[in-house]
Amino acid sequence: MPFSTLSSRLQETFRKLRARGKLTEKDVDEALREVRLALLEADVNYLVVKDFIAKIKERAVGHQVLASLSPGQQVVKIVNEELTSLMGGAQSRISLASKPPTVIMMVGLQGSGKTTTSGKLALHFKNKGHRPLLAAADIYRPAAIKQLMVVGEQVNVPVFSMGENKPVDIAKAAVAHGSVHGNDILIIDTAGRLHIDPELMHELEEIKNSVNPHEILLVVDSMTGQEAVNVAAGFDQQLGIDGVILTKLDGDARGGAALSIKAVTGKPIKFAAMSEKMDGLEVFHPDRMASRILGMGDVLSLIEKAEATFSEQRAKELTEKMRRDAFTLEDFREQLAQIKKMGPLDQLLGMIPGMGRSNQMRDLAVDDSHLKRIEAIISSMTVEERRNPDIIGGSRKRRIAAGSGTRVQEVNRLLKQFNQTRQMMKQFSEMEKRGRKGKGGFNLFR
Amino acid sequence: MMLRKLFSRNKRDEKGTAQGVTAQEGSDRETANKTEIPADNSVDVPTQAGLFARLKQGLAKTRTGFVDRIGQLLTGRNIDDSLFDELEEILIQADVGVTTTLELIGRIRQKVETERITDSSQVRELLRAEITALLSRDHRPLALPDHTPAVIMVVGVNGVGKTTTIGKLAYRFKQGHAKVVLGAGDTFRAAAVDQLRVWADRVGADLIAHQEGSDPSAVAFDSVAAAKARQAEFLIVDTAGRLHTKANLMVELGKVYRVAKRELGRELDEVLLVVDATTGQNALSQAKLFKEAVPLTGIVLTKLDGTAKGGIILALANELRLPVKLIGVGEQMWDLQDFDPASFTDALFN
């Protein structure tokens, strides 16, 4: 989960603060010292931290806050607000050209993840109904072109390459190729380079001048340290970047880069990339990320994920089944499969308020293998058994355990849990029948 | 930049991946004697003095960012709290990290007190001494054992420069006329095998590769077997970049190590964690978790020519006691150097 370490430190500090009925200026100072250390350890730029702390202090030490009924809560709120605005306020999107193709140029240091992210971005646009084209302009790193071709194949997006010609020529030819073949988005993958390498930076300028990209996106590794702002500023000054993609956010990097870049360059973070799979790209939501840092959960992202995977129609059917007490193990298995589709469990849990906070949850090491075992058990049952679990006796249990590679105890546990769930659903629907009759209905999925 | 062009011409458009075990015999068939292998790069590359100049040049950004500021700070000032605050700021901005910074400053403060230092410029010498001491504490050079093959495994997160480091290391060994085998253990990332193949061709090393997506442990096994059979002096095993937080991938890495070790019949000589010098405090977390998965013997710090800082070296040495063995200070083949605490600090301060 991104930012986990920073978030746990801040939460601890705020927990102490919340416990106080009354705050003195000294209390605030002490808490802000912790905040400062936490931010610095998270690789937030030193100057940004300094500024940030000063701002919060100015607001927090004001009379209304200290005199209010829940001063701790107030300070948390201020930190949250400032954190959000630090990361760029509202989210910003990719601007598409009025006259296609929209040309997007990917730039960045070596190893920041440009090629993989180019593929992810192409898939992102393809899923939105666009016809993207990838262009391989990294002629320096061995096998970089091949890598982009493989990535293009994975997401089923065409890749334009011209071997090791001059990158400027490749870019120009790619634009022409895209126009002819009806591609409305062109993503140019350039070679990684240092922002202090004049020769290679000049090459980027040449590409920029010849194809007039609508978006120049800087790809930044979220594990970057204090240097992140210098890199961003360097690329920005010489090229004029339009936004940033933050990569490798599925590690435990505390993401100071995210906090600093916008503050120092004024350029927004547009996407967050995680996982090595091609669908691991999310639109960056600064407000949600700020909540995540403070452990306030990211319910919005969770709901969006759920909405993307569960079809409303199916959800209604299931709800209806539950009400009629006709919910079977088959439905249960289907639900599990859908939850798995939403992403790794630990990432989902991190989005639920309070979940990130408890250390117990973190030590629990929620892994998807548990889900797999449950699925295996259900899959080893006959259709009849799934529809009517009550018929499962001792010998059937032994067969199921053997078939799924589990033990009878595990089968028992699953059956018990399932029965409890069914009981609970029954109670819910009865409560609801008594409550607001005939209205919309109890909806578990939304 | 000439070299870059030269390289790209050498680049081969390999179609598809090799099937089974592919071996490419290097052009250099001389059977080199182990003892002849020089520790430094002596053939057609810069001389010792030249190397030092390159190191200094590579670190130029570090120096202007870091040491110049310290120089400005420490001339003609009173030694007071605000001076230490500013020193703290500079160190933290150099990615030294809060913990290590506070420890360093604490020690300097103490010395200033006990030795009754009043001249602020002496604080610079104190800092230099502390940094050298910290970097020297656990320093050990790259192991060049008497037995063959010497086996080096290279691990790290994505995009830190593992494959490039292996290429440069192979080049260095080839300069000593050693027989080098490379194991293409990154079977995951698209075209990673091809990338290593280009390097193998460039420096004239043998490459052991399987198909993309195959089991990296099997590659490790075959690489060790081939290195033994061909009586190679060096085997360098590449691995796929992985985030240290992915438990299953770390387990896989542990298995690759165990399989290589079993086939070799002893512990590997070096397990090097490659760390990108632009990385911040996350490098500590990386080192910690990789160390739990495989017995790390040292760190390779890459891309030191780009970063304005490089202080993460101090945090790694202080908190994890992992020695830095090699540093990458440029893009040329010979820009991979043995890490020497004294000359590193000298390059920083002179």
Side-chain angles (χ1 to χ4, degrees), chain A residues 23 80-81 94 108 111 129 133 139 159 173 178 202 213 228 246 257 295 303 305 318 354 380 383 403 432 436:
Chain A
L23 287 188
N80 191 22
E81 281 169 15
I94 296 270
L133 171 71
I139 58 166
V159 178
H202 180 67
L246 208 61
I303 291 173
K305 266 184 193 269
L318 278 178
S380 296
V383 177
E432 191 199 12
R436 30 190 186 124

Side-chain angles (χ1 to χ4, degrees), chain A residues 43 110 199 225 248 250 252, chain B residues 158 244 246 278 281 285 303:
Chain A
D43 291 322
Q110 290 96 337
E199 197 174 320
K248 304 179 204 172
D250 46 342
D252 61 352
Chain B
N158 317 65
H244 47 294
K246 308 260 158 135
T278 36
Q281 301 312 301
S285 173
K303 309 185 199 175

Side-chain angles (χ1 to χ4, degrees), chain B residues 334-349:
Chain B
W334 49 80
D335 283 333
L336 183 74
Q337 303 191 358
D338 285 317
F339 177 72
D340 173 40
S343 63
F344 182 84
T345 320
D346 278 350
L348 270 179
F349 280 83

Side-chain angles (χ1 to χ4, degrees), chain A residues 155-214:
Chain A
V155 297
N156 202 8
V157 165
V159 178
F160 178 84
S161 73
M162 250 171 56
E164 278 136 23
N165 275 293
K166 273 181 76 182
V168 186
D169 298 334
I170 296 176
K172 274 193 232 163
V175 174
H177 180 93
S179 317
V180 172
H181 290 79
N183 298 106
D184 57 350
I185 287 174
L186 171 67
I187 301 168
I188 304 176
D189 178 30
T190 66
R193 65 203 72 214
L194 293 170
H195 54 294
I196 50 167
D197 183 332
E199 197 174 320
L200 285 177
M201 288 307 285
H202 180 67
E203 178 193 285
L204 284 183
E205 278 172 59
E206 276 181 2
I207 298 179
K208 181 190 170 184
N209 293 336
S210 67
V211 300
N212 276 320
H214 304 88

Side-chain angles (χ1 to χ4, degrees), chain A residues 98-115:
Chain A
S98 50
K99 203 173 141 234
T102 303
V103 179
I104 300 172
M105 200 170 140
M106 309 287 277
V107 301
L109 297 181
Q110 290 96 337
S112 52
K114 283 174 300 301
T115 307

Side-chain angles (χ1 to χ4, degrees), chain A residues 2-4 6-11 14 39 83 87 254-255 259 286 288-297:
Chain A
F3 306 117
S4 58
L6 172 57
S7 107
S8 58
R9 279 199 65 161
L10 289 185
Q11 278 160 28
F14 290 137
L39 291 172
L83 216 51
M87 280 192 289
R254 301 181 234 169
L259 292 171
R288 297 182 193 178
M289 208 54 120
S291 306
R292 229 195 275 202
I293 293 177
L294 296 179
M296 292 167 177

Side-chain angles (χ1 to χ4, degrees), chain B residues 54-345:
Chain B
R54 289 197 66 80
L55 177 62
K56 267 184 86 164
Q57 192 192 336
L59 292 174
K61 285 301 284 182
T62 315
R63 295 184 45 215
T64 47
F66 178 61
V67 179
D68 284 7
R69 285 190 59 190
I70 292 178
Q72 279 166 20
L73 173 68
L74 296 178
T75 31
R77 289 257 319 246
N78 285 330
I79 301 180
D80 53 15
D81 277 359
S82 77
L83 181 132
F84 286 114
D85 281 351
E86 281 177 54
L87 204 57
E88 176 190 305
E89 172 180 338
I90 294 167
L91 288 171
I92 285 175
Q93 283 203 292
D95 284 325
V96 175
V98 177
T99 316
T100 305
T101 297
L102 293 182
E103 279 180 36
L104 278 174
I105 289 186
R107 260 177 266 158
I108 293 171
R109 259 180 196 269
Q110 215 174 11
K111 281 215 175 118
V112 166
E113 239 166 72
T114 53
E115 291 170 25
R116 295 175 186 279
I117 292 168
T118 48
D119 180 4
S120 62
S121 61
Q122 271 178 282
V123 175
R124 178 190 158 112
E125 282 312 306
L126 282 179
L127 183 65
R128 175 186 171 147
E130 285 295 336
I131 291 179
T132 315
L134 181 58
L135 292 174
S136 306
R137 189 176 56 180
D138 298 297
H139 180 66
R140 281 187 306 277
L142 196 68
L144 295 174
D146 295 329
H147 49 246
T148 55
V151 182
I152 300 171
M153 184 168 152
V154 177
V155 302
V157 300
N158 317 65
V160 287
K162 282 179 296 301
T163 310
T164 308
T165 299
I166 290 172
K168 288 177 179 175
L169 204 52
Y171 169 79
R172 165 201 285 229
F173 293 147
K174 285 308 281 190
Q175 291 305 309
H177 305 291
K179 184 167 179 66
V180 181
V181 174
L182 304 182
D186 184 355
T187 55
F188 182 80
R189 204 202 67 202
V193 176
D194 300 71
Q195 192 182 343
L196 193 65
R197 175 167 296 132
V198 173
W199 274 107
D201 290 351
R202 256 181 217 174
V203 303
D206 290 6
L207 182 80
I208 304 299
H210 287 194
Q211 266 171 333
E212 233 166 67
S214 59
D215 180 6
S217 303
V219 178
F221 179 93
D222 285 346
S223 303
V224 174
K228 284 201 292 193
R230 298 174 196 187
Q231 296 179 327
E233 275 91 6
F234 292 97
L235 165 64
I236 314 175
V237 181
D238 192 10
T239 61
R242 64 200 73 219
L243 286 178
H244 47 294
T245 50
K246 308 260 158 135
N248 53 337
L249 295 182
M250 297 311 280
V251 170
E252 178 194 83
L253 192 66
K255 185 183 167 194
V256 174
Y257 180 85
R258 284 196 309 277
V259 168
K261 176 186 160 189
R262 196 175 53 210
E263 177 61 11
L264 189 65
R266 56 180 165 85
E267 299 284 338
L268 271 53
D269 298 287
E270 294 277 2
V271 182
L272 300 175
L273 176 73
V274 182
V275 174
D276 183 334
T278 36
T279 313
Q281 301 312 301
N282 192 248
L284 290 170
S285 173
Q286 291 171 21
K288 232 175 261 170
L289 290 172
F290 270 99
K291 209 175 168 186
E292 283 170 20
V294 287
L296 291 183
T297 59
I299 304 253
V300 181
L301 197 73
T302 58
K303 309 185 199 175
L304 207 49
D305 49 334
T307 172
K309 324 279 182 344
I312 191 63
I313 266 189
L314 304 183
L316 286 169
N318 186 40
E319 292 184 41
L320 287 156
R321 308 201 67 152
L322 271 169
V324 179
K325 300 221 161 176
L326 297 163
I327 54 176
V329 294
E331 290 190 36
Q332 310 300 351
M333 285 212 267
W334 49 80
D335 283 333
L336 183 74
Q337 303 191 358
D338 285 317
F339 177 72
D340 173 40
S343 63
F344 182 84
T345 320

